[in-house]
């Protein structure tokens, strides 16, 4: 079975006011599991972009989101402060060469970026290139979290999401649990103390590991 493991990072928990900051997906064949030892270059078709929003969009960063995504928070604020428009021509006057160097370093560090209203266009192209006709999502709480954010993006209706999805946390329920275990809980219960990085691509890989 071909499934698509998906994870997003956001500025908070409420899709009505918070925004997606990162999106990752791996096309995964359950009958022929890939090697996923390298989180920077998985041995499977993968899609990974950081997501930027226009300067007039309120990001509404929550404190926890700022702590787990400090690099994004810093570059996003820096970009807005100097009116950077990623992926477009920019005309910015810098007060010093140090500011220009910092801007270029941040741009190269975050070169895999895409505007929010184009994210699903690129994702659709990725699906087409890998002959994915129906997206069966694999993810931790995908319907209750990720899907609610994705529905608010342009071209959502163009993505052939299945009405069924897989959540690997069901395999790690224990007597006495009052809610489904988190990804961190699942990893610990399989004997892995690796911390969850809240990097979307690495979290997708961890989700697949838990599923296996």
């Amino acid at each position: 079975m071909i499934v698509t493991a998906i994870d997003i990072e956001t500025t908070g928990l409420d899709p009505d006011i918070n925004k997606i900051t990162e999106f990752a997906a791996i096309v995964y064949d359950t009958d022929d599991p890939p090697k996923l030892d390298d989180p920077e270059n998985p041995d499977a078709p993968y899609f990974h972009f950081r997501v930027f929003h226009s300067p007039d969009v309120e990001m509404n960063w929550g404190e926890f989101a700022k702590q787990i995504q400090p690099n994004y928070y810093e570059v996003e604020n820096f970009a807005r402060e100097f009116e950077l428009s990623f992926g477009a021509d920019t005309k910015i006057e810098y007060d010093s060469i140090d500011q220009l160097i910092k801007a270029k370093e941040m741009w190269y560090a975050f070169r895999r970026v895409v505007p929010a209203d184009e994210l699903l266009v690129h994702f659709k192209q990725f699906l087409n290139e890998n002959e994915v006709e129906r997206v069966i999502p694999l993810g931790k709480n995908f319907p209750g979290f990720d899907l609610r954010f994705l529905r608010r993006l342009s071209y959502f209706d163009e993505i052939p999401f299945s009405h069924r999805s897989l959540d690997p946390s069901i395999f790690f329920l224990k007597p006495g649990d009052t809610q489904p275990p988190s990804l961190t809980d699942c990893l610990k219960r399989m004997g892995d103390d690796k911390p969850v990085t809240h990097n979307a691509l690495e979290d997708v890989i961890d989700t697949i590991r838990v599923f296996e």
Side-chain angles (χ1 to χ4, degrees):
M1 178 172 62
I2 302 298
V3 301
T4 306
I6 295 174
D7 185 72
I8 65 172
E9 299 300 327
T10 67
T11 64
L13 302 178
D14 187 346
D16 288 332
I17 61 172
N18 300 121
K19 305 300 177 186
I20 294 176
T21 58
E22 192 177 3
F23 179 99
I26 291 178
V27 174
Y28 174 71
D29 186 347
T30 60
D31 295 322
D32 185 20
K35 294 181 180 179
L36 301 174
D37 299 331
D38 183 358
E40 295 296 325
N41 188 28
D43 184 24
Y46 73 95
F47 178 90
H48 182 212
F49 279 94
R50 293 173 177 85
V51 183
F52 278 83
H53 301 260
S54 62
D56 60 336
V57 172
E58 288 291 337
M59 297 294 285
N60 296 308
W61 281 91
E63 288 302 317
F64 180 69
K66 285 192 287 187
Q67 292 172 16
I68 64 175
Q69 302 176 75
N71 291 334
Y72 184 105
Y73 180 66
E74 180 183 3
V75 74
E76 190 254 346
N77 277 302
F78 183 84
R80 287 163 185 259
E81 180 180 352
F82 291 97
E83 297 181 352
L84 267 173
S85 177
F86 285 91
D89 293 333
T90 57
K91 296 180 180 180
I92 307 168
E93 293 184 2
Y94 292 94
D95 295 332
S96 70
I97 189 65
D98 289 338
Q99 288 182 352
L100 178 58
I101 290 172
K102 182 177 182 182
K104 287 185 176 294
E105 286 177 347
M106 286 186 169
W107 168 245
Y108 286 118
F110 284 80
R111 60 190 178 276
R112 287 189 60 82
V113 299
V114 65
D117 59 359
E118 297 179 14
L119 173 64
L120 294 186
V121 174
H122 290 274
F123 185 49
K124 175 68 171 178
Q125 181 180 3
F126 166 79
L127 296 173
N128 290 342
E129 289 172 351
N130 289 282
E131 300 180 345
V132 178
E133 297 180 357
R134 182 180 58 162
V135 177
I136 302 175
L138 168 65
K140 181 70 186 70
N141 193 28
F142 178 83
F145 186 76
D146 307 62
L147 187 62
R148 294 172 62 215
F149 278 87
L150 294 174
R151 285 187 182 279
R152 285 159 172 76
L153 295 179
S154 301
Y155 307 107
F156 171 81
D157 291 337
E158 298 296 320
I159 306 300
F161 281 113
S162 170
H163 65 286
R164 297 178 178 178
S165 62
L166 297 167
D167 187 333
S169 67
I170 191 68
F171 300 120
F172 292 88
L173 286 172
K174 294 175 64 175
D177 281 345
T178 58
Q179 60 183 1
S182 66
L183 183 56
T184 299
D185 294 332
C186 292
L187 289 169
K188 287 182 177 179
R189 291 178 184 183
M190 60 185 275
D192 189 340
D193 290 328
K194 173 187 177 296
V196 172
T197 63
H198 296 287
N199 170 290
L201 184 57
E202 292 184 29
D203 288 359
V204 163
I205 291 174
D206 283 340
T207 298
I208 292 174
R209 290 175 56 232
V210 168
F211 178 70
E212 292 177 339

PDB file of all heavy atoms in Angstrom, residues 120-131:
ATOM      1  N   LEU A 120       0.564  24.097  -1.912  1.00  0.00           N
ATOM      2  CA  LEU A 120      -0.125  22.908  -2.403  1.00  0.00           C
ATOM      3  C   LEU A 120       0.000  22.745  -3.911  1.00  0.00           C
ATOM      4  O   LEU A 120      -0.185  21.632  -4.428  1.00  0.00           O
ATOM      5  CB  LEU A 120      -1.595  22.940  -1.974  1.00  0.00           C
ATOM      6  CG  LEU A 120      -1.815  22.843  -0.459  1.00  0.00           C
ATOM      7  CD1 LEU A 120      -3.305  22.736  -0.138  1.00  0.00           C
ATOM      8  CD2 LEU A 120      -1.061  21.655   0.145  1.00  0.00           C
ATOM      9  N   VAL A 121       0.347  23.802  -4.623  1.00  0.00           N
ATOM     10  CA  VAL A 121       0.656  23.668  -6.050  1.00  0.00           C
ATOM     11  C   VAL A 121       1.907  22.813  -6.211  1.00  0.00           C
ATOM     12  O   VAL A 121       1.956  21.880  -7.022  1.00  0.00           O
ATOM     13  CB  VAL A 121       0.863  25.045  -6.705  1.00  0.00           C
ATOM     14  CG1 VAL A 121       1.320  24.883  -8.149  1.00  0.00           C
ATOM     15  CG2 VAL A 121      -0.416  25.872  -6.639  1.00  0.00           C
ATOM     16  N   HIS A 122       2.938  23.114  -5.420  1.00  0.00           N
ATOM     17  CA  HIS A 122       4.182  22.341  -5.459  1.00  0.00           C
ATOM     18  C   HIS A 122       3.947  20.911  -4.964  1.00  0.00           C
ATOM     19  O   HIS A 122       4.525  19.956  -5.507  1.00  0.00           O
ATOM     20  CB  HIS A 122       5.245  23.024  -4.601  1.00  0.00           C
ATOM     21  CG  HIS A 122       5.741  24.312  -5.172  1.00  0.00           C
ATOM     22  ND1 HIS A 122       6.767  24.383  -6.091  1.00  0.00           N
ATOM     23  CD2 HIS A 122       5.341  25.598  -4.962  1.00  0.00           C
ATOM     24  CE1 HIS A 122       6.985  25.647  -6.422  1.00  0.00           C
ATOM     25  NE2 HIS A 122       6.135  26.401  -5.748  1.00  0.00           N
ATOM     26  N   PHE A 123       3.105  20.769  -3.951  1.00  0.00           N
ATOM     27  CA  PHE A 123       2.819  19.434  -3.421  1.00  0.00           C
ATOM     28  C   PHE A 123       2.090  18.585  -4.462  1.00  0.00           C
ATOM     29  O   PHE A 123       2.385  17.399  -4.641  1.00  0.00           O
ATOM     30  CB  PHE A 123       1.989  19.549  -2.144  1.00  0.00           C
ATOM     31  CG  PHE A 123       1.749  18.237  -1.443  1.00  0.00           C
ATOM     32  CD1 PHE A 123       2.785  17.355  -1.186  1.00  0.00           C
ATOM     33  CD2 PHE A 123       0.467  17.881  -1.033  1.00  0.00           C
ATOM     34  CE1 PHE A 123       2.571  16.142  -0.536  1.00  0.00           C
ATOM     35  CE2 PHE A 123       0.234  16.680  -0.378  1.00  0.00           C
ATOM     36  CZ  PHE A 123       1.284  15.810  -0.136  1.00  0.00           C
ATOM     37  N   LYS A 124       1.166  19.201  -5.173  1.00  0.00           N
ATOM     38  CA  LYS A 124       0.443  18.496  -6.238  1.00  0.00           C
ATOM     39  C   LYS A 124       1.415  18.032  -7.323  1.00  0.00           C
ATOM     40  O   LYS A 124       1.314  16.906  -7.836  1.00  0.00           O
ATOM     41  CB  LYS A 124      -0.621  19.421  -6.830  1.00  0.00           C
ATOM     42  CG  LYS A 124      -1.365  18.850  -8.040  1.00  0.00           C
ATOM     43  CD  LYS A 124      -2.246  17.671  -7.688  1.00  0.00           C
ATOM     44  CE  LYS A 124      -3.117  17.288  -8.857  1.00  0.00           C
ATOM     45  NZ  LYS A 124      -3.970  16.103  -8.579  1.00  0.00           N
ATOM     46  N   GLN A 125       2.344  18.878  -7.682  1.00  0.00           N
ATOM     47  CA  GLN A 125       3.350  18.504  -8.675  1.00  0.00           C
ATOM     48  C   GLN A 125       4.190  17.325  -8.172  1.00  0.00           C
ATOM     49  O   GLN A 125       4.477  16.391  -8.925  1.00  0.00           O
ATOM     50  CB  GLN A 125       4.256  19.698  -8.979  1.00  0.00           C
ATOM     51  CG  GLN A 125       5.325  19.401 -10.024  1.00  0.00           C
ATOM     52  CD  GLN A 125       6.206  20.608 -10.300  1.00  0.00           C
ATOM     53  OE1 GLN A 125       6.067  21.657  -9.682  1.00  0.00           O
ATOM     54  NE2 GLN A 125       7.129  20.454 -11.235  1.00  0.00           N
ATOM     55  N   PHE A 126       4.566  17.360  -6.911  1.00  0.00           N
ATOM     56  CA  PHE A 126       5.317  16.256  -6.297  1.00  0.00           C
ATOM     57  C   PHE A 126       4.520  14.951  -6.369  1.00  0.00           C
ATOM     58  O   PHE A 126       5.064  13.901  -6.722  1.00  0.00           O
ATOM     59  CB  PHE A 126       5.642  16.615  -4.841  1.00  0.00           C
ATOM     60  CG  PHE A 126       6.103  15.472  -3.997  1.00  0.00           C
ATOM     61  CD1 PHE A 126       7.404  15.002  -4.076  1.00  0.00           C
ATOM     62  CD2 PHE A 126       5.237  14.871  -3.087  1.00  0.00           C
ATOM     63  CE1 PHE A 126       7.831  13.935  -3.280  1.00  0.00           C
ATOM     64  CE2 PHE A 126       5.649  13.817  -2.287  1.00  0.00           C
ATOM     65  CZ  PHE A 126       6.954  13.348  -2.390  1.00  0.00           C
ATOM     66  N   LEU A 127       3.243  15.014  -6.052  1.00  0.00           N
ATOM     67  CA  LEU A 127       2.396  13.823  -6.118  1.00  0.00           C
ATOM     68  C   LEU A 127       2.310  13.285  -7.544  1.00  0.00           C
ATOM     69  O   LEU A 127       2.397  12.071  -7.774  1.00  0.00           O
ATOM     70  CB  LEU A 127       1.001  14.139  -5.577  1.00  0.00           C
ATOM     71  CG  LEU A 127       0.907  14.525  -4.096  1.00  0.00           C
ATOM     72  CD1 LEU A 127      -0.512  14.980  -3.760  1.00  0.00           C
ATOM     73  CD2 LEU A 127       1.319  13.369  -3.193  1.00  0.00           C
ATOM     74  N   ASN A 128       2.150  14.184  -8.507  1.00  0.00           N
ATOM     75  CA  ASN A 128       2.069  13.763  -9.903  1.00  0.00           C
ATOM     76  C   ASN A 128       3.367  13.096 -10.355  1.00  0.00           C
ATOM     77  O   ASN A 128       3.344  12.067 -11.053  1.00  0.00           O
ATOM     78  CB  ASN A 128       1.762  14.963 -10.803  1.00  0.00           C
ATOM     79  CG  ASN A 128       0.351  15.494 -10.619  1.00  0.00           C
ATOM     80  OD1 ASN A 128      -0.511  14.798 -10.077  1.00  0.00           O
ATOM     81  ND2 ASN A 128       0.122  16.712 -11.055  1.00  0.00           N
ATOM     82  N   GLU A 129       4.495  13.684  -9.952  1.00  0.00           N
ATOM     83  CA  GLU A 129       5.789  13.140 -10.362  1.00  0.00           C
ATOM     84  C   GLU A 129       6.010  11.737  -9.807  1.00  0.00           C
ATOM     85  O   GLU A 129       6.724  10.933 -10.407  1.00  0.00           O
ATOM     86  CB  GLU A 129       6.913  14.068  -9.891  1.00  0.00           C
ATOM     87  CG  GLU A 129       6.973  15.382 -10.653  1.00  0.00           C
ATOM     88  CD  GLU A 129       7.951  16.363 -10.041  1.00  0.00           C
ATOM     89  OE1 GLU A 129       8.458  16.068  -8.922  1.00  0.00           O
ATOM     90  OE2 GLU A 129       8.203  17.411 -10.659  1.00  0.00           O
ATOM     91  N   ASN A 130       5.384  11.460  -8.656  1.00  0.00           N
ATOM     92  CA  ASN A 130       5.565  10.155  -8.028  1.00  0.00           C
ATOM     93  C   ASN A 130       4.349   9.246  -8.201  1.00  0.00           C
ATOM     94  O   ASN A 130       4.214   8.236  -7.509  1.00  0.00           O
ATOM     95  CB  ASN A 130       5.893  10.349  -6.539  1.00  0.00           C
ATOM     96  CG  ASN A 130       7.277  10.919  -6.334  1.00  0.00           C
ATOM     97  OD1 ASN A 130       8.269  10.205  -6.422  1.00  0.00           O
ATOM     98  ND2 ASN A 130       7.354  12.221  -6.070  1.00  0.00           N
ATOM     99  N   GLU A 131       3.485   9.651  -9.124  1.00  0.00           N
ATOM    100  CA  GLU A 131       2.328   8.846  -9.529  1.00  0.00           C
ATOM    101  C   GLU A 131       1.432   8.476  -8.345  1.00  0.00           C
ATOM    102  O   GLU A 131       0.920   7.364  -8.255  1.00  0.00           O
ATOM    103  CB  GLU A 131       2.800   7.584 -10.266  1.00  0.00           C
ATOM    104  CG  GLU A 131       3.608   7.903 -11.520  1.00  0.00           C
ATOM    105  CD  GLU A 131       4.081   6.653 -12.244  1.00  0.00           C
ATOM    106  OE1 GLU A 131       4.039   5.552 -11.645  1.00  0.00           O
ATOM    107  OE2 GLU A 131       4.506   6.768 -13.415  1.00  0.00           O
TER     108      GLU A 131
END
